[in-house]
Amino acid sequence: SQELEQSPQSLIVQEGKNLTINCTSSKTLYGLYWYKQKYGEGLIFLMMLQKGGEEKSHEKITAKLDEKKQQSSLHITASQPSHAGIYLCGADEFGKIIFGKGTRLHILP
Amino acid sequence: DTGVSQDPRHKITKRGQNVTFRCDPISEHNRLYWYRQTLGQGPEFLTYFQNEAQLEKSRLLSDRFSAERPKGSFSTLEIQRTEQGDSAMYLCASSPGRRSSYEQYFGPGTRLTVT
């Protein structure tokens, strides 16, 4: 089955700085989700990408799916304390989502 | 729209006891999913329903686990004879399930602790 690798596993960033999180798949992606999770809580839907080269933005967060549809990146511009949490990428596999292990983002004031 | 709700939010039980969790999806969402998440890991798929039909079950879902969605609205997940390894966050998600939108929206989860 599909496997997703996220990098980095953990990230500490000064408030106001930009950052990028990567998600690499072992197979072609037919749907790629990005979610955010606060510690101990449910997942918040950020965006879903389906087409090669697709790019979507939500407030200061931009996600891209590469042309080959095997890699996605999530970029946060001018990070804020509210961006702290766990970012999860997930691959759509015939309706269900296969998740990566997540990237833990800490924002330093 | 009130979003996906789950009840209870926290459950502490002794090993060997049975537990049942409830999930109420976003209204008019045809698909309902159950996932399990352990500490430091991403959620793992357990099962999903299209209306009242259970379409897929993961190998993670042992015989002690059963899920239902009797009227195609809310769903229940029951774990019989709980074991310490069942301790996890149980997440429910729903999606419209239409060609135009398979985006899954998650509830707050039920945290199970088996002592």
Side-chain angles (χ1 to χ4, degrees), chain A residues 44-99:
Chain A
I44 300 167
F45 174 81
L46 294 176
M47 54 198 90
M48 182 186 183
L49 305 166
Q50 291 181 288
K51 300 175 183 175
E54 187 175 9
E55 180 175 319
K56 287 187 177 179
S57 293
H58 173 70
E59 297 178 344
K60 293 186 177 180
I61 301 175
T62 301
K64 301 178 185 179
L65 182 61
D66 74 336
E67 290 288 346
K68 292 185 178 179
K69 296 173 63 175
Q70 282 196 285
Q71 195 164 35
S72 178
S73 61
L74 185 128
H75 184 78
I76 298 178
T77 304
S79 59
Q80 300 169 351
S82 61
H83 288 129
I86 302 169
Y87 289 82
L88 292 153
C89 67
D92 184 291
E93 186 169 278
F94 306 110
K96 62 182 181 283
I97 303 176
I98 307 299
F99 284 95

Side-chain angles (χ1 to χ4, degrees), chain A residues 33 35 37 40 95-97, chain B residues 33 35 37 40 56 89 102 104:
Chain A
Y33 292 86
Y35 288 91
Q37 185 176 33
K96 62 182 181 283
I97 303 176
Chain B
Y33 306 79
Y35 293 82
Q37 186 178 27
E56 187 172 347
M89 174 79 90
Y102 288 101
Q104 295 185 27

Side-chain angles (χ1 to χ4, degrees), chain B residues 20-70:
Chain B
T20 300
F21 309 141
R22 176 179 170 126
C23 172
D24 286 88
I26 294 170
S27 62
E28 300 184 359
H29 275 194
N30 296 326
R31 289 195 173 184
L32 187 149
Y33 306 79
W34 285 99
Y35 293 82
R36 181 172 69 184
Q37 186 178 27
T38 54
L39 200 62
Q41 302 296 315
E44 295 175 295
F45 169 78
L46 293 178
T47 187
Y48 88 94
F49 294 84
Q50 172 85 26
N51 299 313
E52 65 273 11
Q54 189 172 17
L55 297 187
E56 187 172 347
K57 291 169 60 174
S58 163
R59 285 172 292 177
L60 293 174
L61 217 62
S62 75
D63 291 343
R64 298 184 296 105
F65 288 71
S66 63
E68 293 183 344
R69 194 183 183 196

Side-chain angles (χ1 to χ4, degrees), chain A residues 6-25:
Chain A
Q6 286 188 238
S7 63
Q9 290 183 353
S10 181
L11 192 55
I12 301 173
V13 172
Q14 195 77 38
E15 182 178 351
K17 297 294 186 183
N18 303 337
L19 63 105
T20 300
I21 298 169
N22 295 302
C23 176
T24 303
S25 172

Side-chain angles (χ1 to χ4, degrees), chain B residues 10-25:
Chain B
H10 303 273
K11 179 72 176 179
I12 300 174
T13 191
K14 292 185 177 180
R15 186 163 50 99
Q17 298 294 306
N18 299 344
V19 294
T20 300
F21 309 141
R22 176 179 170 126
C23 172
D24 286 88

